[in-house]
Amino acid sequence: MGETILPEFLSIVDDTTMKKLGNQDLLGYYQFDDEGVAAQRVVLVDHGVLKNFEMSRSPLEGFPHSNGHGRRQIGATPVSRQGNLIVESSKTVTNAQLRAKLIELVKQQGKPYGLLMMTSPEVSPLRAADSRKPSRCNRWLVYKVFADGARTNWSAAWTSSAHRSRR
């Protein structure tokens, strides 16, 4: 605790009290965790420095109390889990600048290519095991980006938070 674990321009917060981020509904919102503790905003990393942990009612040395993050799957014991994990940066760049940096790193490291991952929310044709409705999923597209700036499709995957909707 108190150690630098990330660059100082990064902070990480888990805020289960947030219903929306901009216009986007957040699936990690809740008022009380699965142990009856009020949900709380928890600063985990502040400007690169580790400050806190997500806690359930199972104490850790130096952290005797829950901060409202005790969650469980059906039939399981509650454990500390994230709700709305938000990574904040005080150092931002445009997508074009980020791609230029990737190409620069590919060249510096003598690699044949780097990987660029992009996502867009879509309704998946897949269905949650316990639902008749399509799941809200993110479709991840992965591209190979070469030193000359050319890119080719490499892979795609779906990720879902459907299990979180069962509260």
Side-chain angles (χ1 to χ4, degrees), residues 48-70:
V49 178
L50 181 62
K51 295 292 188 180
N52 209 339
F53 295 111
E54 297 166 332
M55 295 296 301
S56 66
R57 290 185 187 232
S58 299
L60 291 176
E61 187 175 325
F63 297 87
H65 304 287
S66 173
N67 55 24
H69 285 79

Side-chain angles (χ1 to χ4, degrees), residues 36-99:
V37 177
Q40 296 177 32
R41 178 183 194 273
V42 177
V43 177
L44 301 169
V45 178
D46 187 30
H47 299 286
V49 178
L50 181 62
K51 295 292 188 180
N52 209 339
F53 295 111
E54 297 166 332
M55 295 296 301
S56 66
R57 290 185 187 232
S58 299
L60 291 176
E61 187 175 325
F63 297 87
H65 304 287
S66 173
N67 55 24
H69 285 79
R71 306 301 305 276
R72 68 180 179 89
Q73 292 179 331
I74 294 175
T77 303
V79 295
S80 53
R81 285 213 176 127
Q82 73 186 41
N84 293 317
L85 192 67
I86 300 166
V87 179
E88 301 170 332
S89 175
S90 61
K91 186 178 182 181
T92 58
V93 295
T94 65
N95 281 338
Q97 291 170 318
L98 193 57
R99 286 183 188 158

Side-chain angles (χ1 to χ4, degrees), residues 117-131:
M117 298 177 64
M118 298 171 60
T119 182
S120 63
E122 295 183 28
V123 175
S124 168
L126 306 174
R127 298 181 188 281
D130 62 341
S131 173

